[in-house]
Amino acid sequence: MPRTATTRTRTKARTSRSTPNAINLLTEDHAKVKKMFKQFERMKEKAEDAEKAELVQKICMELTVHAQVEEEVFYPAAREAIDEQDLMDEAEVEHASAKELIAQLQSMQPGDELYDAKVMVLGEYVDHHVKEEEKQMFPKVRKARLDLEHLAEQIKERKEQAMQ
């Protein structure tokens, strides 16, 4: 069926940045966690251990849930839509590395040897991963014309389940 001006307009409107979609949701998560890592960096020398532990616990929870919804919902759809298996494989390996650091941090307390260093390295891993997703993966997924609104609904639903 030939595309009409109306069809193109609807498609363009549906993928607009203001419309909630999977990429927007994931990007919001990225910004939220980045802000938490910056907060940790500012407070690591002067904060009470309990305050640091609480923030690190929030970071770990956010990252765990985010990785889970990416792996269960977004990545399978992206793998099918784009022909970039190396990029997708690297993203999964980066998740595995982050999960390993998260597990280590969850078994530690502030004041333990290397605690602050592990938080900072986790932040660096996440920053690298986010840049690759936002600069390489997300543009390719957008061009593939996935139904990002439907994926957003699935991500929201899975995230709610994981948070419980």
Side-chain angles (χ1 to χ4, degrees):
M1 180 166 96
R3 294 184 69 177
T4 64
T6 308
T7 311
R8 279 193 298 273
T9 304
R10 261 191 258 125
T11 302
K12 188 169 184 132
R14 192 174 36 217
T15 58
S16 158
R17 279 193 170 295
S18 62
T19 304
N21 69 48
I23 291 173
N24 293 349
L25 290 178
L26 298 175
T27 302
E28 287 170 12
D29 284 353
H30 294 166
K32 181 178 184 181
V33 171
K34 186 175 188 171
K35 187 175 179 180
M36 286 191 272
F37 278 115
K38 284 184 181 193
Q39 181 182 353
F40 181 84
E41 191 170 2
R42 284 191 308 270
M43 72 189 287
K44 73 179 180 180
E45 300 299 326
K46 55 188 179 249
E48 297 291 322
D49 283 354
E51 192 179 2
K52 284 169 64 171
E54 183 181 336
L55 179 58
V56 171
Q57 183 59 35
K58 286 179 185 175
I59 289 170
C60 290
M61 199 233 349
E62 287 290 332
L63 289 174
T64 299
V65 171
H66 178 84
Q68 186 175 355
V69 298
E70 278 189 336
E71 291 168 6
E72 293 177 6
V73 179
F74 187 75
Y75 285 180
R79 268 192 192 278
E80 277 188 41
I82 64 174
D83 188 23
E84 294 285 338
Q85 297 314 307
D86 288 347
L87 181 63
M88 300 307 301
D89 291 347
E90 287 174 24
E92 290 193 27
V93 171
E94 290 166 355
H95 276 201
S97 297
K99 287 178 190 176
E100 177 60 33
L101 270 176
I102 289 167
Q104 290 174 28
L105 284 166
Q106 289 177 324
S107 69
M108 298 174 76
Q109 296 296 318
D112 287 353
E113 188 176 355
L114 302 179
Y115 183 85
D116 289 356
K118 287 183 183 199
V119 175
M120 298 306 295
V121 169
L122 178 60
E124 291 168 7
Y125 278 4
V126 169
D127 188 52
H128 169 81
H129 177 73
V130 163
K131 284 178 182 165
E132 284 189 350
E133 279 188 346
E134 292 182 1
K135 303 261 190 266
Q136 296 176 31
M137 185 189 302
F138 291 175
K140 290 175 181 171
V141 169
R142 275 190 188 98
K143 284 181 187 172
R145 298 188 186 272
L146 273 175
D147 185 347
L148 295 174
E149 289 177 356
H150 180 68
L151 275 177
E153 291 169 18
Q154 292 177 314
I155 287 170
K156 283 181 192 175
E157 184 178 307
R158 186 63 190 107
K159 198 172 184 180
E160 285 174 18
Q161 293 168 351
M163 295 289 238
Q164 293 175 353

